[in-house]
Amino acid sequence: MQFVRIAILVSLAVTATTVHADQTADARAIASQLIQKLGGALKQEMARGGPEKTVSVCRDIAPGLAGELSRSSGSRVARVSLKVRNPLLGQPDTWEQQVLADFDRRAASGEKAEFLEHAEIVEEPQGRYFRYMKALPVQPLCLSCHGGDEAVAPQVKAKLALEYPHDRAFGYVLGQIRGAVTIKQPMEASQ
C-alpha cells in the first residue's frame, strides 16, 4: 500500500514538472513575441521621428500588443517595473515585485540580465496560477527615454511629463533591469 502511494506521488510530481516545463516554454515564446514586436516598433518609430516618437509606442502600441497576446494565449500578458512610468498599466503585484527585486539582486551579482527569467505555480486566493517573468534589460535605445538627465533630450522630457505625470521610470543605465514581461495563467485553463 505504501508503495502505491509513493508511486502515485511520483507520478503526480512528474506530471506537474512536465506541465510546468511546457508552460514555461509557452510563456517564454509569448514573452519573446512581445519583446520582438515592441523592439521592432520602437526601432521603426526612432528611425521615423527620433526618440520623441517612441513615447507613443510604449504608451499606445505596447499595451495593444500585450492585450493581443493575452487574448490569443488565454493568459494575462503585461509589462511591469519597480520604477513605474504608467501606474495604471505597469504596477507590479506583490509576487511580481519580489521577482523583480530578485532579478535586480541576480543582475548585481553578475548574472546577465537578458537571461533572467522566473516561473512557478502559485496559490492565490482566487486559485492556482502558472506565473512567469522575463527580465527586460535596458538597451541603448531605451536610454533616450529612460536614461539619466544627460541622456534624455529636453523635448522628450517635456513629452514624458505631459503623457506620464507620475513617471518614475528614468535614471537607468545600460544593462540595468528596466522591468519584465509578466505572464499569469489560471491552472485550469492550461491543463
Side-chain angles (χ1 to χ4, degrees):
M1 189 62 150
Q2 183 68 14
F3 176 75
V4 171
R5 280 189 219 151
I6 292 171
I8 290 171
L9 289 174
V10 168
S11 175
L12 289 173
V14 168
T15 301
T17 302
T18 302
V19 168
H20 189 273
D22 290 347
Q23 288 174 309
T24 300
D26 290 346
R28 191 178 289 130
I30 293 166
S32 180
Q33 284 180 49
L34 180 60
I35 292 165
Q36 288 175 357
K37 288 179 180 184
L38 183 56
L42 284 166
K43 288 175 187 168
Q44 185 177 15
E45 287 304 308
M46 179 66 97
R48 265 197 242 174
E52 194 173 351
K53 288 287 266 182
T54 64
V55 173
S56 65
V57 172
C58 289
R59 185 194 67 220
D60 302 327
I61 295 173
L65 291 171
E68 209 175 277
L69 289 167
S70 293
R71 287 184 295 282
S72 68
S73 69
S75 303
R76 180 182 66 85
V77 180
R79 295 173 308 142
V80 293
S81 177
L82 292 175
K83 291 171 67 174
V84 178
R85 174 148 283 171
N86 182 350
L88 297 175
L89 293 177
Q91 195 70 42
D93 64 21
T94 303
W95 184 87
E96 291 163 336
Q97 289 173 25
Q98 291 169 348
V99 174
L100 285 164
D102 184 55
F103 283 170
D104 283 342
R105 280 190 295 278
R106 290 168 61 191
S109 71
E111 287 187 59
K112 293 197 177 278
E114 60 268 21
F115 299 118
L116 295 177
E117 65 179 346
H118 180 84
E120 74 178 287
I121 295 171
V122 298
E123 289 284 339
E124 296 182 3
Q126 302 81 12
R128 287 179 52 143
Y129 293 89
F130 170 77
R131 306 234 25 206
Y132 173 85
M133 287 180 66
K134 169 78 174 129
L136 296 169
V138 174
Q139 305 290 323
L141 177 62
C142 304
L143 294 173
S144 59
C145 292
H146 295 286
D149 279 340
E150 68 286 346
V152 182
Q155 67 272 23
V156 174
K157 287 180 190 175
K159 180 146 183 141
L160 290 171
L162 179 67
E163 298 292 340
Y164 301 107
H166 305 289
D167 184 15
R168 292 187 11 226
F170 50 84
Y172 287 97
V173 297
L174 197 60
Q176 275 187 312
I177 295 171
R178 164 67 188 100
V181 173
T182 182
I183 297 171
K184 181 177 181 179
Q185 182 179 52
M187 288 300 292
E188 299 73 30
S190 65
Q191 296 179 356

